[in-house]
Amino acid sequence: MPEWLEVSLPCTPENIDSLATDLIWHGFECFQIEDSRDFFEFSPHWDMADNELIENYKDACRIIVYLPVGEDTGIDALRTLCPALTVQSRLQEDWEENWKKHYAPAKIGKRLLIQPAWIPLDNPENRAVFFNDPGIAFGTGTHQSTKLCLEMLEEIDVGAKRVLDIGCGSGILALCALKLGAKNALGIDIDPLAAEISSLNAVKNCLGDRYSGQALDFLSGGLPVPREGYGVIFSNIVADVIISMAPKIALYLAPGGLWIVSGIISPRLPEVILATAEAGMSVVQHRSMGGWEALCLSISP
């Protein structure tokens, strides 16, 4: 069983977003954010967690990075960002199982239910159900940036459209689009593990024949321009990457196609709007949640 180093970086609600951005810029792509604000946003659901969990989590604010054992260089780089970090060893199996106790079913908007695959289904509202098992890939569906994308998605007529998810993580956005009627979907991620897990999630949701997960770098030109474009493209990443994508994205959109972007912290929103406007895109819809911003964009007439 592979062994990992769990590197915990303590932070505050005020600097957690900037620290996450710094991690991405330094090449750390797989990390876990624990923000007590997210937990207490779901206070009506506290009956789903025991009192000990609530007490232990109420003041938690940290980012956890997982590194293979022996990655001393990585730890040194992280220490420059957060000198107060702590390190402990974890078996991959321990992480994959222990985090599940914090993950509950989540209703998104009016039509979607993100259902942990290991919890019995209770769906009296007959929502479209996405059975999720993200493993160690990003994408439980509970983060504000993902919720914003899903809320926009369910307002779009995706019937018979092709979908592209750039930075697919667990595949949640593309696969939910398929649940809502999209024709087929491609999820790409620079992390091969994310491409693999998203493909497994597609099979679990009986969508394996309509979804493909691939390890590709969009910005390096790794994705060929399709003969027919995509009706919906998701980019739930960070502001800097979205800005870099903007000049290329129109090549991949079908006529009338939409680009849904999220993962943008509020102070960076003006930069994203300016960059996408310079690339010939206009804002169709804008949504905010908990300091995060999302845009639905189309090619300007």
Side-chain angles (χ1 to χ4, degrees), residues 19-209:
L19 179 56
T21 301
D22 287 343
L23 286 170
I24 293 171
W25 269 111
H26 283 78
F28 296 99
E29 307 239 345
C30 296
F31 55 83
Q32 172 185 344
I33 295 175
E34 290 187 359
D35 187 343
S36 57
R37 294 172 299 176
D38 294 338
F39 185 80
F40 282 88
E41 179 184 344
F42 294 96
S43 57
H45 305 290
W46 278 354
D47 58 324
M48 305 172 96
D50 60 33
N51 290 333
E52 182 181 357
L53 172 62
I54 294 171
E55 184 63 27
N56 290 341
Y57 195 74
K58 68 179 182 180
D59 296 319
C61 195
R62 62 176 181 163
I63 298 179
I64 303 172
V65 180
Y66 293 93
L67 301 173
V69 168
E71 285 285 340
D72 296 335
T73 302
I75 294 175
D76 291 341
L78 290 171
R79 189 169 279 112
T80 64
L81 299 176
C82 181
L85 63 77
T86 59
V87 182
Q88 59 182 317
S89 298
R90 296 285 191 193
L91 291 177
Q92 181 168 315
E93 182 179 60
D94 293 340
W95 188 93
E96 290 176 344
E97 295 303 316
N98 289 342
W99 72 272
K100 291 181 178 181
K101 62 186 178 183
H102 305 300
Y103 184 24
K107 296 178 182 179
I108 307 293
K110 298 178 181 178
R111 300 168 58 192
L112 288 167
L113 174 64
I114 310 303
Q115 175 72 26
W118 56 91
I119 296 177
L121 177 64
D122 182 16
N123 185 25
E125 298 176 8
N126 197 30
R127 289 172 174 254
V129 181
F130 171 66
F131 293 96
N132 194 23
D133 190 350
I136 61 174
F138 175 82
T140 62
T142 59
H143 191 270
Q144 292 98 325
S145 63
T146 309
K147 288 182 185 177
L148 290 168
C149 290
L150 292 173
E151 289 178 358
M152 287 184 176
L153 167 64
E154 70 169 19
E155 296 179 0
I156 298 170
D157 179 9
V158 294
K161 288 184 170 65
R162 300 175 70 230
V163 172
L164 171 64
D165 185 1
I166 304 173
C168 64
S170 65
I172 189 168
L173 296 177
L175 295 174
C176 281
L178 292 176
K179 288 281 185 174
L180 294 177
K183 179 180 179 181
N184 54 51
L186 169 63
I188 65 172
D189 203 295
I190 60 175
D191 182 358
L193 183 61
E196 177 185 347
I197 288 175
S198 67
S199 297
L200 292 174
N201 265 334
V203 173
K204 289 176 182 177
N205 283 273
C206 302
L207 299 170
D209 59 335

